Amino acid sequence: MKNSVKKIVKTTAILLLALIFAGSPAISPITSKTTIEAEASAKSDKAVKQARKCYYTTQRNLKKYKRICSSGCTDYWNKKHLALSVIKPAKDNFLAISGTTCEYYYSGRKLSFAFAYQKKGRKVKEYRAYYMGGKCYRYIGPDKKVHTYGSGKTESRMPKMAQQLYFKGTYNLHFVYD
């Protein structure tokens, strides 16, 4: 009799736990994150990995690319594809951001990475933004604090500088191809 009562209590406890956890997201056994968080983290990691690959490939092949300079802007072309645009601060250049030198790295016809810096004497403020599919997945401001967005931030929800870089970088892309 005692064994059958223990068995019923054990079965009831298991069923109760199953009901409790049925509504909550699954836990990944490897990372102990929910699967939603793990998928978001994987997506942001992918965006950063692609941006880094784009950056290093471009820097390694810079001398091979066709270089075109015009009014504070230098574009580097890999055959028919824009790989890099460097835009220096200039009052007459609508793509420039006041006092900021911007580098835009493109993969195909998409903005992948933006790097910007402002020099004031010996001090340098740097900004880095990693993009994929029209969203910002990581942003590093002059405070060097890393902001990672697992699901990505759309243009209207990005930090101000990441938003400016995205707008100017994508506008530049449309400008050179049209």
Side-chain angles (χ1 to χ4, degrees):
M1 175 96 170
K2 286 183 180 182
N3 284 342
S4 63
V5 172
K6 283 183 181 179
K7 204 178 231 184
I8 291 171
V9 170
K10 186 177 179 182
T11 306
T12 306
I14 291 171
L15 289 173
L16 186 60
L17 285 172
L19 284 173
I20 291 170
F21 290 110
S24 67
I27 302 292
S28 169
I30 298 171
T31 62
S32 74
K33 293 182 179 179
T34 63
T35 53
I36 296 167
E37 289 172 335
E39 288 172 8
S41 177
K43 205 166 190 179
S44 63
D45 290 348
K46 181 180 177 182
V48 171
K49 186 176 179 181
Q50 284 180 343
R52 285 182 177 155
K53 181 180 177 185
C54 178
Y55 173 84
Y56 288 117
T57 300
T58 301
Q59 288 297 318
R60 186 174 47 251
N61 295 312
L62 212 52
K63 291 180 182 176
K64 296 177 186 176
Y65 295 156
K66 183 178 179 180
R67 182 177 162 188
I68 300 172
C69 298
S70 64
S71 67
C73 183
T74 305
D75 292 329
Y76 295 86
W77 290 82
N78 179 12
K79 298 176 185 165
K80 294 181 181 181
H81 298 285
L82 181 63
L84 168 66
S85 283
V86 179
I87 300 175
K88 305 263 185 195
K91 290 181 181 181
D92 63 334
N93 188 343
F94 63 95
L95 290 172
I97 297 174
S98 179
T100 307
T101 300
C102 303
E103 298 179 10
Y104 300 102
Y105 293 83
Y106 300 100
S107 179
R109 289 191 177 201
K110 300 274 184 191
L111 178 62
S112 183
F113 175 66
F115 173 70
Y117 57 93
Q118 300 168 336
K119 287 185 178 180
K120 290 183 181 175
R122 290 181 153 195
K123 292 186 178 184
V124 177
K125 287 184 177 180
E126 290 184 0
Y127 304 86
R128 298 166 193 254
Y130 301 80
Y131 305 98
M132 184 173 75
K135 292 183 176 182
C136 179
Y137 282 89
R138 181 172 289 168
Y139 172 72
I140 305 170
D143 60 357
K144 304 210 184 321
K145 188 173 181 185
V146 178
H147 303 275
T148 301
Y149 312 109
S151 300
K153 295 263 184 186
T154 58
E155 186 178 358
S156 62
R157 307 192 115 227
M158 292 177 197
K160 187 171 173 50
M161 188 58 154
Q163 188 178 42
Q164 275 189 300
L165 290 168
Y166 181 76
F167 174 75
K168 300 278 186 172
T170 54
Y171 190 85
N172 179 54
L173 192 63
H174 294 297
F175 182 71
V176 297
Y177 281 111
D178 288 341

